[in-house]
Amino acid sequence: MEEEEEAIGYLDKVLEDEDDSEPGTPTSPVSPFSAGDKGERDAGKGLEMRKLVLSGFLASEEIYINQLEALLLPMKPLKATATTSQPVLTLQQIETIFYKIQDIYEIHKEFYDSLCPKVQQWDSNVTMGHLFQKLASQLGVYKAFVDNYKIALETAEKCSQSNYQFQKISEELKVKGPKDSKESHTSVTMEALLYKPIDRVTRSTLVLHDLLKHTPADHPDYPLLQDALRISQNFLSSINEDIDPRRTAVTTPKGETRQLVKDGFLVELSEGSRKLRHVFLFTDVLLCAKLKKTAVGKHQQYDCKWYVPLADLVFPSPEESEHCPQVHVIPDHELEDMKMKISAIKSEVQKEKANKGQSRAIERLKKKMFENEFWLLLNSPAIPFRIHNRNGKSYLFLLSSDYERSEWREAIQRLQKKDLQAFVLSSVELQVLTGSCFKLRTVHNIPVTSNKDDDESPGLYGFLHVIVHSAKGFKQSANLYCTLEVDSFGYFVSKAKTRVFRDTTEPQWNEEFEIELEGSQSLRILCYEKCYDKTKLNKDNNEIVDKIMGKGQIQLDPQAVQTKNWHMDVIEMNGIKVEFSMKFTSRDMSLKRTPSKKQTGVFGVKISVVTKRERSKVPYIVRQCVEEVEKRGIEEVGIYRISGVATDIQALKAVFDANNKDILVMLSDMDINAIAGTLKLYFRELPEPLLTDRLYPAFMEGIALSDPAAKENCMMHLLRSLPDPNLITFLFLLEHLKRVAEKEPINKMSLHNLATVFGPTLLRPSEGESKAHLTLASDIWSHDVMAQVRAGYWRGSPACLGNLLLLVGWDKLGGGSSSLL
């Protein structure tokens, strides 16, 4: 497969761009445990957060020291051979490549040895600000390393090309795993390790930020940490100026400097098929490339597929876009299938590691996971980004995020404001430019989780609750709304959208959303002006093109968001400030069922109690929500998948619990996604799942059966074993979901999609069984966990159990639900 071969060589650590201070960068989060007027209780929480921050940093410091050791390991034998008749490298080359590494290692070893006992014997009186202050005072060694960095890389590359022995050494340096790791060693390239010191300063600065947020102003460490942060920030500013121009510029044959402004992986629709490309934006040209196939040991290079001078580049208007090829969108159920396969393989990898399985077996699993993640990365994007060369050809990229599309367009438009001239590159000029891409690239890895280092965060799994409060800073009145994006499986997707607040400069949305996270690390907020001019129609998706007024991004720090309290923050974007709050709930906690303390409501009350009280076969809340969805929401795109506004859902919950006489009026006025969300919440808050705790083990055994006929018989028997209220309600729900799925061409919700939404709620292990199954990661998706307890992967996981029942059984139980009601 061409795309898989393109991925060869992208296993180096991602090199992060040192200067992230672009417009729209979010401000530092405001901690819910900040010092000041919070009182002793909050101060105690802040000190506990300090310990968590330090523990995480200490673990990464151990990994960093191991990386430095791995870099130093070949230095002694290389020096020993330098004075022999057959030297691998000269002493001068060795000094250049390993310059200051020994000094940096000794500084961090001393720092680690001093900090470790303080963290291990933690109490509220522990001070460690002086250690960070001393570490910051030794950044002069890093300055010397940075000044030599470019020469070190060039020397290592030249030596690698001229000496096969050194090439083998530099391609596979063995890094020792952490003390508590199951893996003894990992292989890393010398180029990747030489970048670690630069990366480390950035990370240390971020840790200082976090420590200050959780350190009371009257704590002895506070002024010392402030001083260390000031020194580190000044140092980072100086090395950004030093290192960026040298790393991102290429000199043309005519002696001119061409700067690399931005690069990244994009999916191109070429000749009717999707291709993964590495796109490079220079100061005057956009270049689209793929990695060449090279023999083992040969230096890797890019192959230019096409380029467009920025002076000739234009973005087609919506009217012109109809002449471009139409986008073939992969059905949602195929994408969901692949996500489940990836989750199952991840679980297998974790199980192998936990059982100290063979490295070959783990590598085979990782290879399969990479192939599946690569397919997902290639086939998920559907947002068109069109590039046109005014001299002829047009090109079409597909992106998963409007945020990303906006970033590429804005970066190009900023450069086009300069006095640019049209040109044609000669074959030599094109060769030089393409040849520079491998060295200059800032994005080294294809964005899939299988390419992550073991010390990188796996991200968050569960639910992020976000309240979008308000925004200010608009210069004139407009119709405004926000969308929320999170990353998942290596790419960003839009997850929620506020209402349009009309004709205002200070919208007050105050809307709450529940966003599902699958290994997510970032939250993006985009602010739009709604366009009601139907002449500005986007031919690709038949939607009006709205204008992005601003956008911003914030990292989802697990230590900051995993609290019971709301965490308030502000994102600044192009002079606009959006205020929001968030809190995170892991998946196992979000599905934990807590019985209602009062038996007069419907939420959290046994379904048998509710139906007996109402003298009905199906709870009133289920019947009313289903009726309203079928009346005006059955053709709504993404019904049951799109989040409703949490405050609306809570309002509906309250009126149903109170049996308010105005329920019907409220339902008719309420947003349909809020009604769908209320129905999902009702099933989620039942004291036990609809398919019962008692039958869960039997359902799991039935799912594991290989023979289709036996499986079907088992499912039918188990369904008939349900208590009457559960069975009748279940069949009522399934008939409704079948009618919703019949509208799939309009609402985009297949049986599979609906089952994925309802499956984890309808069938889930009891709390005791969950603890037995959640041995690897307590907050992983339920279908991830179930993949661990099955002998092999089968698509009928609990997340898709609803789909299984829809397909094989709903109409075989007394002719469907209608005859039972």
Side-chain angles (χ1 to χ4, degrees), residues 643-662:
S643 299
V645 177
T647 45
D648 289 348
I649 294 172
Q650 291 301 317
L652 283 171
K653 176 183 176 181
V655 297
F656 274 112
D657 267 339
N659 195 21
N660 193 300
K661 62 181 180 180
D662 296 326

Side-chain angles (χ1 to χ4, degrees), residues 672-726:
I672 198 65
N673 288 316
I675 295 170
T678 303
L679 182 62
K680 290 189 293 181
L681 182 67
Y682 169 73
F683 285 117
R684 197 161 79 211
E685 290 197 359
L686 284 173
E688 69 171 354
L690 195 61
L691 299 183
T692 72
D693 291 334
R694 178 177 61 84
L695 292 178
Y696 171 79
F699 271 115
M700 289 306 301
E701 289 174 8
I703 287 171
L705 292 173
S706 302
D707 179 52
K711 185 178 294 179
E712 182 177 320
N713 288 337
C714 179
M715 291 297 129
M716 297 309 101
H717 170 73
L718 290 173
L719 287 174
R720 292 189 184 98
S721 302
L722 287 170
D724 284 350
N726 297 60

Side-chain angles (χ1 to χ4, degrees), residues 442-461:
T442 61
V443 181
H444 281 219
N445 279 358
I446 293 173
V448 293
T449 56
S450 48
N451 272 348
K452 282 186 176 181
D453 281 359
D454 287 342
D455 63 322
E456 289 186 77
S457 169
L460 295 172
Y461 290 83

Side-chain angles (χ1 to χ4, degrees), residues 474 477-483 497-504 509 526-534 536-537 542-549:
F474 298 97
S477 294
N479 304 312
L480 303 166
Y481 70 92
C482 284
T483 64
K497 176 182 174 182
T498 68
R499 294 190 184 95
V500 178
F501 215 94
R502 289 176 175 263
D503 194 25
T504 182
W509 294 291
L526 296 92
C527 193
Y528 291 85
E529 178 183 1
K530 183 71 178 175
C531 175
Y532 292 102
D533 184 353
K534 293 187 178 180
K536 297 180 179 179
L537 207 64
N542 206 36
E543 290 182 1
I544 293 171
V545 180
D546 297 333
K547 180 182 177 184
I548 295 180
M549 303 296 287

